[in-house]
Amino acid sequence: MQISLATTIPKVPSFSTYYPSTSNQTQYNVQKPNGISTQPHISLPAPCAVKSSSTGFLSAIERAIEEEEYRKARAEVIRKGLNVEGYSIEGHSIGGHETCVIVPQLKAAFDIGRCPSRAVHQNFLFITHAHLDHIGGLPMYIATRGLYGLKPPTVFVPPSIKEDVEKLLDVHRSMSQVELNLDLIALDVGETYEMRNDLVVRPVRTHHVIPSQGYVIYSVRKKLKKQYIHLEGKKIEKLKKSGVQITDSVLCPEVAFTGDTASDFYLDPRSADALRAKILITEATFLDDNCSVEHAREHGHTHLYEIMEQAKWIRNKTLVLTHFSPRYSIEEIRQGISKLQPQISAKVVALTEGFKSMHL
């Protein structure tokens, strides 16, 4: 018997159970000619099927998820720096490739692997050790400042490498026939240098495979001496005008930078100021079981697991992790931080500029 098309009951399409795709390729439910799905499916009532097709519905959801992942990944990749405790932290720090961490409020850069343009305008440069991914951009930094008509920079180095740095710069002067003007200072652990009237810097011992040191920058604050605390304001002002020294200088650690170091740094009593600075910028080269703690120690680096073990010594307000191995993606770095954060009182953030996302 022939049935009119107007009275035909709509055929109900089948929907496969939805699992978010872990790849960048959209997954579709393939139908056989007889309408039977090749994958497990859930059949929807006829009214829903009439309003939308299965492939269109699933495709819209998958596109929305992928677009959101892409948006987040792109935002992470293009993000420039961090803002923590009143300071901007910028730059690159990719293990074995390049480290240059910039703090514009201090007019300071720490290490200079490849001389990013933002580093050129920093008046102070602190070199932690002589590996090329930390010092390779030094001649370019000095030369570019000269090209731009900026004043010669003040460059701090461990005393053990000062002579070699001078030789290196002499070679570049000879080859390029240009002046490389700077104030090169060998600053040793235990010494203090005044950057300006309210800032000083002191080196701190670190533990790498070659001579190395970190740096702690302190704000200098004036505190009324105890013997004058009970006096009224007018009497204190009178003493001050008469030339009496009524205040003591108090050093408050603001920003500490370690460069490359093994985890012995956390147990060294001389690291106390670095571990109570507002911000500690340190390394976490390895994050997972694919590289052992022993391997990290052998190469003078720190594993994330070691930071977890030493978390009780960290008194900083913010811990900025850097120098991740280039094998990691931004998402893997973020996952590592999520494991550390519950075990530490400081806010933990990562400098990931230059790293790739698994979604891009």
Side-chain angles (χ1 to χ4, degrees), residues 188-239:
D188 205 354
V189 174
E191 297 178 335
T192 303
Y193 181 92
E194 184 177 282
M195 298 169 62
R196 62 188 197 210
N197 59 7
D198 62 342
L199 281 181
V200 300
V201 61
R202 289 176 174 172
V204 60
R205 186 185 177 198
T206 54
H207 302 261
H208 197 35
V209 292
I210 62 173
S212 64
Q213 63 188 37
Y215 298 90
V216 182
I217 296 181
Y218 302 78
S219 61
V220 182
R221 302 177 186 178
K222 300 295 184 181
K223 185 177 180 180
L224 188 66
K225 291 183 177 181
K226 290 182 179 180
Q227 61 264 39
Y228 303 127
I229 291 177
H230 67 284
L231 296 179
E232 297 178 354
K234 291 183 179 180
K235 291 184 178 180
I236 291 175
E237 187 64 26
K238 185 177 180 180
L239 286 171

Side-chain angles (χ1 to χ4, degrees), residues 73 94 148 156 185 190 213 215 238 278 294 336 340 342:
I94 304 172
Y148 290 172
F156 300 87
I185 296 176
Q213 63 188 37
Y215 298 90
K238 185 177 180 180
K278 285 183 181 177
E294 291 73 20
L340 174 62

Side-chain angles (χ1 to χ4, degrees), residues 112-115 125 127 132 134-144 153 155 157 165-166 168-169 172 180 182 184:
I112 191 98
R114 294 187 185 178
C115 189
L125 174 61
I127 301 295
L132 281 178
H134 293 259
I135 199 173
L138 178 60
M140 189 66 181
Y141 163 75
I142 301 167
T144 306
V155 179
V157 297
V165 170
E166 290 173 334
L168 171 69
L169 296 177
H172 281 279
L180 295 175
L182 76 159
L184 184 62

Side-chain angles (χ1 to χ4, degrees), residues 23-231:
S23 71
N24 291 329
Q25 297 178 344
T26 306
Q27 304 295 320
Y28 296 95
N29 182 32
V30 180
Q31 300 287 335
K32 290 182 179 179
N34 61 5
I36 300 174
S37 173
T38 59
Q39 300 177 16
H41 65 270
I42 300 173
S43 296
L44 297 182
C48 294
V50 171
K51 291 180 181 178
S52 63
S53 68
S54 64
T55 55
F57 180 70
L58 289 177
S59 296
I61 293 177
E62 289 177 336
R63 281 199 302 271
I65 292 173
E66 290 178 354
E67 287 173 2
E68 178 65 11
E69 289 176 343
Y70 177 85
R71 185 189 66 77
K72 290 180 179 179
R74 180 171 173 78
E76 286 288 337
V77 169
I78 66 176
R79 185 174 65 173
K80 303 293 183 183
L82 307 164
N83 290 297
V84 291
E85 307 300 331
Y87 292 96
S88 299
I89 311 295
E90 305 174 2
H92 294 76
S93 186
I94 304 172
H97 288 201
E98 168 188 11
T99 288
C100 182
V101 177
I102 301 159
V103 185
Q105 290 86 347
L106 303 175
K107 284 290 183 182
F110 297 91
D111 287 336
I112 191 98
R114 294 187 185 178
C115 189
S117 58
R118 284 170 288 170
V120 172
H121 295 276
Q122 311 311 312
N123 297 334
F124 300 99
L125 174 61
F126 300 91
I127 301 295
T128 62
H129 65 288
H131 280 155
L132 281 178
D133 58 322
H134 293 259
I135 199 173
L138 178 60
M140 189 66 181
Y141 163 75
I142 301 167
T144 306
R145 284 185 63 89
L147 181 66
Y148 290 172
L150 301 172
K151 69 177 184 179
T154 302
V155 179
F156 300 87
V157 297
S160 60
I161 69 170
K162 182 182 180 182
E163 184 177 345
D164 287 335
V165 170
E166 290 173 334
K167 291 177 182 178
L168 171 69
L169 296 177
D170 283 341
V171 169
H172 281 279
R173 291 184 183 106
S174 176
M175 290 192 301
S176 61
Q177 296 297 301
V178 297
E179 294 183 2
L180 295 175
N181 296 319
L182 76 159
D183 185 10
L184 184 62
I185 296 176
L187 195 65
D188 205 354
V189 174
E191 297 178 335
T192 303
Y193 181 92
E194 184 177 282
M195 298 169 62
R196 62 188 197 210
N197 59 7
D198 62 342
L199 281 181
V200 300
V201 61
R202 289 176 174 172
V204 60
R205 186 185 177 198
T206 54
H207 302 261
H208 197 35
V209 292
I210 62 173
S212 64
Q213 63 188 37
Y215 298 90
V216 182
I217 296 181
Y218 302 78
S219 61
V220 182
R221 302 177 186 178
K222 300 295 184 181
K223 185 177 180 180
L224 188 66
K225 291 183 177 181
K226 290 182 179 180
Q227 61 264 39
Y228 303 127
I229 291 177
H230 67 284
L231 296 179

